[in-house]
Amino acid sequence: MQPYLDDGSLRVIGVVQEQHAARARLYAQWRQLDWPIYVDSLNLLDHRVVPIPMLLDASGIIRARPRSPDALAELMQQSFPVEAPPVGLKLPDATELRTQAEALDSARAWRDLGDACFLTGGLDAAVAAFEQASLRDPSDARARFRAGVALKRRSESEQAQPGDAQAAIDSWAQALQLVPNQYIWRRRVQQYGPRLNKPYNFYFWIDEARQAIRARGDAPVVLQVEPEGSEIATPQKAVQVVALDDPDPEGRVDRDASRVHIETLVTPARLRPGHAVRVRLTFEPGAAWWNNEAEGLCVAGTLPPGVELLELRALTAAPAAAETRERRLWELELRISPDQPAGPLEIPLYVLYDVCEDQQGVCLRLRQDVQLQLEIDAAAASIE
Amino acid sequence: MFPRLLACVLLCLPGVLADEGMEVGQRHPDFVLPDLAGELGGLSEHLGQKLLLFNFASW
């Protein structure tokens, strides 16, 4: 195909379905993709699956979906009637779209506003607009998916609000329930979901990419959000139940209310009986310091009947220094019994950890209770 | 060039090749999206000769 590219009779562009643009940049750098690539995080093109190669004629008419170099070569020999190409689309002005949304008050108008706000970096405005769209039309699956994209991006930004990451997962799961054969959306939930539901490790290529790029003498693109935990976990097909410790069954260890902030991310929070759930626990020590010379962090509890623990592991290793204050991550995977009745299911866990008030200050072993809230529903979206 | 592109897009998502939506014979909708550098651009900038448009993912 190189002759067609060299003589200007063929151009190549890409559209990548990816939540994190930097990951697409790293992929393109690794594969040495030197053509223009656009990042469709919101799935504005409405593709349900990838990959999809398309050959467009000079005026933008889709002429074929070539699946091989030979098929493309054959198409390059054909001539197609030339129609007037479309006038270049411009991103609508967000102020005008807001006026329109307030006047029409339709889901579509609010969703259009959300799209424009997201593309211009207005995450708060985008989240708000997508929420308005969902309120106007609860069956607007695109609005729910795009709300999830905006919430997830905000959760990883300086504008993050508590609960953003969970709200993103919930929005994606709602969108998937409305359109269960949308595989682009399904992947987004699976990315953070249980290993039992993973078709494969989505970001297995990142280490290989970095090694190959460095071997070429280049510096790999830096990822602002490093894939971790479930994102790089390998699928697990065989169920192995592991035990959960319960070293403080009577709750005698002093509770911590303020030293360590714990955020939970449950994927999915609404699930069918017999399905699995992945839980990420993020620990931010705030003003306190981890005491690395003590017993260490421990996730514990007594699981209710019908709930099995399949995996429990720390994603961050304790550092060598005696006192540190890094963010720590743990993940656990639970499976719910097929016989679990529909309705809310609370799973009480607790965490024991050792923190110091200050460097060289008073050190304590403390407990914080963590209540996981699930909703068991036979009609919930399946992410298998 | 093409084999490398195909390797990228056809191997990155094994087992999923079907598509729904835009059909052969239809005009591909124009779009405005950020490129890898974050600059907004769109399909119409690239028309004027035959265009191979790859929709793909890294995962």
Side-chain angles (χ1 to χ4, degrees), chain A residues 1-2 5 8-18 25 27 31-32 34-35 37-39 45 47-56 58-63 65 67-69 72 75-76 78 83-84 86 88-89 187 200 202 205, chain B residues 1-10 12-14 16-59:
Chain A
M1 290 306 97
Q2 195 61 45
L5 297 169
S9 60
L10 178 68
R11 285 188 185 178
V12 181
I13 67 170
V15 175
V16 62
Q17 298 292 328
E18 173 59 66
R25 281 200 295 278
Y27 185 81
R31 295 293 195 182
Q32 298 178 283
D34 53 3
W35 20 277
I37 294 174
Y38 297 97
V39 184
L45 295 193
H47 288 309
R48 293 185 174 188
V49 294
V50 284
I52 309 169
M54 291 179 175
L55 183 74
L56 278 54
S59 50
I61 307 293
I62 303 166
R63 294 297 180 183
R65 297 182 176 191
R67 294 290 186 191
S68 69
L72 181 62
L75 288 161
M76 290 304 294
Q78 296 181 26
E83 299 178 18
L89 185 67
R187 289 288 187 270
Y200 57 91
F202 293 169
W205 55 269
Chain B
M1 183 84 177
F2 194 87
R4 192 174 74 203
L5 305 185
L6 274 186
C8 294
V9 299
L10 296 183
C12 62
L13 188 52
V16 179
L17 288 172
D19 174 40
E20 297 174 29
M22 294 170 232
E23 300 297 331
V24 170
Q26 292 181 344
R27 186 185 295 279
H28 193 290
D30 200 359
F31 56 78
V32 175
L33 291 170
D35 64 16
L36 292 180
E39 298 295 321
L40 292 175
L43 174 66
S44 52
E45 296 172 22
H46 304 283
L47 296 177
Q49 60 282 297
K50 287 173 181 164
L51 179 71
L52 192 57
L53 170 57
F54 272 120
N55 298 280
F56 71 105
S58 70
W59 33 259

Side-chain angles (χ1 to χ4, degrees), chain A residues 244-250 253 295 298-301 350 352 365 367:
Chain A
L244 184 64
D245 290 338
D246 190 4
D248 185 33
E250 295 171 349
V253 177
E295 289 178 64
C298 163
V299 178
Y350 60 90
L352 299 174
R365 183 157 181 83
R367 166 175 169 155

